Amino acid sequence: MDLLNFMYSNTFSATTPTAVLGVMMVADKFEVASCMKYCSHLLRNLTMTTESALLYLDLPSNILVADEVQPFNRCCKTVSCSTFQGHNQVPRRCIESSSFGIEAVLSSGNLQIASEDAVFEFVLKWARMHYPKLEERREVWSSHLLHLIRFPCMTCRKLKKVVMCTDFDPKLASKLVFEALFYKAKAPYRQCSIAAEAGNVSYHRYVERHTSTDLLKLLSLNASSGFFLSAHCNMDHQSAFHCFGLFLGMQEKGSVSFAVDYELADRISPGEEYVSKYKGDYTFTSGKAVGYRNLFGVAWTPFLSEDSLFFINGILHLRAELRVRE
C-alpha cells in the first residue's frame, strides 16, 4: 500500500527503518525506480548504527547495485567501516556478515585497525565459519575473498602462515606470497609503478590502508628471534596528554627468555646520523616489552603538526638496535 500511495498520490507513511526497507524491496520487485530512490534517501537520513549498516549490506545484491540506491550503499559502507575504528582486531559482530557485506566493508582503505594481518585473520575465521567444507572454502577464497586482502601490506611472519595455510590452493598461495615479497623488496619510489604493471592484480591491493601503525613507514630489525617494534599513541599519565610511544617486544611464546642490550634512535635531517634517544638492558620473556610512553617528550598534537621537527618529508625515521647477550 505504501508503494501504491507513493505512485498514485505521492504520499508515504512509512517512518521506521524496517518499514522503509520493506517498501524499498517491494519497489525493487516491481521496478519502481523513483520509489527506490526516495526510500534510499529516507534511510540515509534515519539514524544508522554499525549493526543496521551491516544488516543493510546483507540485502540482495540486485538492490545494492541499483543506481538509485548507490548513495545509500556508500553511506552503509562508511558507517560499517567505523566498526573497525580503534580496534586491534575486527569486531566479533562482523563475523555474521554475508560475503557481500564483508566485501563492501573490507574494500575500504580506512578501516583504522592495527594492521593488514588482522584483516587476514578475520577473513580466515569468517570463511571457516561460513564454508566448513574445504573445497567450497577454497572456491570462495579464489572467487570472492582474495582481492580483499592486501598481501603486500602484511608482515613477513604472517605471509609465512599464508604459504602454510591449507585453506588456499598451494600454487595460488605461493603466487600471492611471491608477489608480496617481490613488492616489498623494491624501493618505495618504484613500488607504485610495479603495482600498476601487475595487470592480473587489482591496484588497490598494493595500497596501504590507514591503520593504527601508519607512522611506522620503514622498519629494519635484524635479529634471529621474534622481536617486534610497536608504535602507539599513548596517554602520558604524569602530564595527562596524548603522546608518541615506542616499544620493543618479543613474540616468542613459552618460557624462553632473552637478555639484550637495546638502543632506540631517530634522525630529523636527511644528511645526519641517527641520534640515540634511549638505551639500556632488558630481559625479554613471553608477552613482555620495553619502551617509552613519550619518546620525544612532546604532546601528540605538536608532534604531528605541519612544522614538526621530527619528520622528514612526512616520514618518521626510527632505528632500533638489539644485541642478544650470551
Side-chain angles (χ1 to χ4, degrees), residues 124-142:
L124 198 62
K125 292 179 181 179
W126 181 90
R128 289 173 177 175
M129 174 181 173
H130 290 268
Y131 299 92
K133 294 183 179 180
L134 179 60
E135 184 177 348
E136 293 181 355
R137 190 160 67 247
R138 285 188 172 183
E139 173 60 29
V140 170
W141 267 108
S142 61

Side-chain angles (χ1 to χ4, degrees), residues 216 229-232 234 244-248 264-265 290-296 316 318-320:
L216 194 59
L229 185 63
S230 180
H232 299 274
N234 296 301
F244 176 82
L246 191 67
F247 301 87
L248 282 165
L264 301 178
V290 61
Y292 301 89
R293 298 186 65 84
N294 191 353
L295 185 71
F296 297 107
L316 184 64
L318 301 170
R319 185 178 70 187

Side-chain angles (χ1 to χ4, degrees), residues 90-306:
V90 181
R92 289 181 178 273
R93 59 179 174 270
C94 296
I95 201 71
E96 301 293 340
S97 298
S98 67
S99 59
F100 191 87
I102 292 298
E103 184 171 359
V105 173
L106 297 187
S107 61
S108 170
N110 296 284
L111 298 185
Q112 297 286 332
I113 57 177
S115 69
E116 194 67 21
D117 290 1
V119 177
F120 172 75
E121 287 294 340
F122 165 73
V123 178
L124 198 62
K125 292 179 181 179
W126 181 90
R128 289 173 177 175
M129 174 181 173
H130 290 268
Y131 299 92
K133 294 183 179 180
L134 179 60
E135 184 177 348
E136 293 181 355
R137 190 160 67 247
R138 285 188 172 183
E139 173 60 29
V140 170
W141 267 108
S142 61
S143 60
H144 291 92
L145 300 179
L146 283 178
H147 71 281
L148 302 176
I149 309 299
R150 305 183 183 188
F151 291 97
C153 303
M154 292 170 58
T155 63
C156 292
R157 179 179 288 265
K158 192 63 67 174
L159 288 173
K160 182 179 179 181
K161 181 175 180 177
V162 174
V163 174
M164 300 172 64
C165 183
T166 58
D167 292 52
F168 295 91
D169 177 85
K171 292 183 178 179
L172 181 58
S174 298
K175 177 178 180 293
L176 291 168
V177 172
F178 175 79
E179 289 176 348
L181 294 175
F182 180 74
Y183 173 79
K184 287 177 177 290
K186 296 299 179 181
Y189 68 88
R190 291 191 58 197
Q191 288 179 351
C192 288
S193 62
I194 293 171
E197 293 170 3
N200 61 336
V201 180
S202 58
Y203 175 79
H204 84 278
R205 184 186 296 178
Y206 292 84
V207 180
E208 291 185 18
R209 305 181 199 265
H210 294 295
T211 65
S212 58
T213 55
D214 269 352
L215 290 173
L216 194 59
K217 295 299 182 181
L218 180 63
L219 168 62
S220 178
L221 182 62
N222 296 318
S224 58
S225 301
F227 296 100
F228 64 87
L229 185 63
S230 180
H232 299 274
C233 175
N234 296 301
M235 173 65 75
D236 189 312
H237 297 306
Q238 294 182 347
S239 54
F241 57 66
H242 288 89
C243 52
F244 176 82
L246 191 67
F247 301 87
L248 282 165
M250 188 179 73
Q251 290 180 321
E252 304 299 330
K253 297 181 179 180
S255 59
V256 63
S257 63
F258 286 96
V260 303
D261 293 321
Y262 69 89
E263 181 177 12
L264 301 178
D266 75 326
R267 66 175 179 179
I268 59 176
S269 296
E272 294 184 359
E273 296 292 328
Y274 279 88
V275 178
S276 176
K277 299 291 294 183
Y278 297 98
K279 59 183 177 180
D281 57 83
Y282 189 77
T283 300
F284 285 105
T285 55
S286 178
K288 297 294 183 180
V290 61
Y292 301 89
R293 298 186 65 84
N294 191 353
L295 185 71
F296 297 107
V298 297
W300 184 256
T301 300
F303 170 69
L304 289 180
S305 64
E306 293 184 0

